[in-house]
Amino acid sequence: MAASSIDSITTRRELALHYHELASPDQLTPAERQVWEAARAATAHSYAPYSHFHVGAALLLADGSLVQGTNQENAAYPSGLCAERTALFGLAGNRPGPPPLIVGMAVAGRPAQGEFGPALPCGACRQVMLEYEVRQGQPIWLLLPSVSGTVLRFERLADLLPFHFSADALPPQA
Ligand code: THU
């Protein structure tokens, strides 16, 4: 169907995606830089004997502490878990009550014997990350190393996953 005819019977909408691009990590604030470095340092603890891609994630909590996570692979490939979810589940699954407030997050990735490169969260991780932001009712900023070597800074995780699945779709709980 030609664009003009579908436009006549539907409402065309557009989405704007907001983020900042930094030429170098040197432009990060001291707090951001700390999280950025913690994500890179975490890659040392990755277990990636199958993909040989070592991923680290770091969370900055409101009390100033850092929580790290790494990808953990398995011989049954789908049973492994990404660094972002390891960090979040490790934080939230280890204490009673709601997780502590998360302020910011960073991700890093590198081959086993190589330099740091791009590390963009997969769709499943975006879904999980967003639920923690929704749950705490406060935005979580995110730093990602881009494909071109720059730093992408998102103000909120919601910007990574428009039209996400949420509890709103689920039937009312008894
Ligand atoms: N991986 C992550 O840890 N985070 C992502 O967002 C993308 C992929 C891991 C999963 C697997 O261990 C390896 O990277 C290759 O896909």
Side-chain angles (χ1 to χ4, degrees):
M1 188 183 285
S4 56
S5 69
I6 192 147
D7 280 354
S8 70
I9 56 167
T10 63
T11 304
R12 182 180 157 83
R13 302 194 191 281
E14 287 181 18
L15 267 182
L17 181 64
H18 297 285
Y19 62 96
H20 289 94
E21 187 167 20
L22 288 65
S24 144
D26 296 340
Q27 295 175 292
L28 295 170
T29 66
E32 290 169 344
R33 187 68 191 238
Q34 204 187 6
V35 187
W36 178 263
E37 295 299 337
R40 290 166 77 107
T43 61
H45 310 131
S46 152
Y47 176 62
Y50 306 106
S51 73
H52 306 288
F53 184 58
H54 293 243
V55 186
L59 311 170
L60 174 65
L61 308 186
D63 70 2
S65 58
L66 291 164
V67 174
Q68 291 163 303
T70 58
N71 56 330
Q72 296 294 311
E73 298 186 350
N74 192 277
Y77 290 3
S79 302
L81 198 62
C82 294
E84 297 89 326
R85 278 177 282 168
T86 304
L88 287 163
F89 292 160
L91 170 71
N94 248 323
R95 67 189 72 228
L101 196 66
I102 305 166
V103 175
M105 183 170 181
V107 185
R110 60 172 173 81
Q113 309 296 337
E115 299 298 312
F116 286 99
L120 304 170
C122 74
C125 283
R126 292 177 195 216
Q127 176 72 29
V128 168
M129 289 157 64
L130 183 49
E131 177 125 354
Y132 285 91
E133 181 174 84
V134 169
R135 192 174 168 191
Q136 71 177 25
Q138 293 203 43
I140 300 172
W141 48 255
L142 175 67
L143 304 173
L144 299 174
S146 78
V147 173
S148 62
T150 59
V151 180
L152 307 182
R153 187 191 195 284
F154 293 83
E155 298 297 328
R156 53 187 56 77
L157 301 180
D159 286 336
L160 271 93
L161 195 61
F163 303 112
H164 73 284
F165 185 82
S166 82
D168 297 343
L170 298 174
Q173 303 299 302

